[in-house]
Amino acid sequence: VLFRSKIIDHLIEAHGRKRIAFLRGPDGNEDSMWRERGYREALLAHKIKIDSKLISQGNFDEEDAYLAIKSMLDKGIKLDAVFAGDDDSAIGVISALLSAGLKVPRDVAVVGFDDAPPARFSNPPLTTIPADIDGAGHIAAQMLIELINKGKTQSLALLPTELVIRKSCGCK
């Protein structure tokens, strides 16, 4: 199953970004695992080599994300975009980049996931992917009913995603 990340495709295709960092969520978090898989598949589809130095723990946490990006920059790791595992992490990323004297999105584009309420008020406003909590709940309920009625159900359900384009990626 190809699970390419639309947000990574957008950074590459619309903005020519190639050194895209990814900040994972907490260890063992399934959402983080799928987001990383999408990140990796999108890079490979665009024939961009996966650089392990561009992958770090953000833990879905502003401070951890801030420290992860600060560490990359302190080590001289070159990056031109960051896909934060969630919007809270993206806010920490923006803060770290600004503290280092970099401009978002001119120097480094930043994107997140969840479309949390603060995303549209960040500076710059955050490009993100809304998490379809209602859709996930609906599908989970359908799967539970199917399991109860038939004794089995599908083991995986992937929901479609849409981009919410704002200024942090370089658009608008």
Side-chain angles (χ1 to χ4, degrees), residues 6-163:
K6 289 180 184 179
I7 208 159
I8 301 300
D9 285 343
H10 178 77
L11 289 170
I12 296 166
E13 295 166 9
H15 303 290
R17 306 298 175 143
K18 291 185 170 44
R19 299 281 302 160
I20 305 169
F22 174 69
L23 295 185
R24 293 179 172 123
D27 287 336
N29 181 284
E30 190 172 359
D31 290 336
S32 177
M33 185 269 307
W34 283 108
R35 291 169 197 173
E36 183 172 350
R37 181 172 172 186
Y39 162 82
R40 289 174 176 274
E41 288 187 16
L43 291 179
L44 293 173
H46 289 281
K47 298 179 177 35
I48 296 173
K49 185 175 182 254
I50 295 168
D51 183 346
S52 62
K53 293 184 299 251
L54 291 173
I55 300 172
S56 188
Q57 286 298 126
N59 293 317
F60 297 160
D61 179 82
E62 277 181 58
E63 187 172 352
D64 287 354
Y66 178 96
L67 294 171
I69 293 302
K70 183 179 182 328
S71 175
M72 283 184 194
L73 295 173
D74 289 348
K75 291 175 184 171
I77 296 169
K78 301 291 183 208
L79 51 108
D80 60 14
V82 179
F83 175 28
D86 74 330
D87 292 347
D88 289 340
S89 296
I91 301 302
V93 167
I94 290 171
S95 183
L97 294 168
L98 295 176
S99 293
L102 297 169
K103 301 269 189 251
V104 177
R106 186 190 74 198
D107 300 322
V108 181
V110 178
V111 297
F113 200 104
D114 289 333
D115 198 21
R120 68 181 182 269
F121 297 112
S122 68
N123 188 16
L126 185 65
T127 295
T128 186
I129 296 176
D132 185 3
I133 303 301
D134 292 340
H138 180 75
I139 288 174
Q142 286 179 322
M143 291 171 72
L144 180 58
I145 291 167
E146 186 175 350
L147 184 61
I148 292 167
N149 290 338
K150 298 180 181 173
K152 63 180 181 175
T153 189
Q154 63 193 28
S155 61
L156 177 65
L158 295 177
L159 300 174
T161 58
E162 295 301 322
L163 297 179

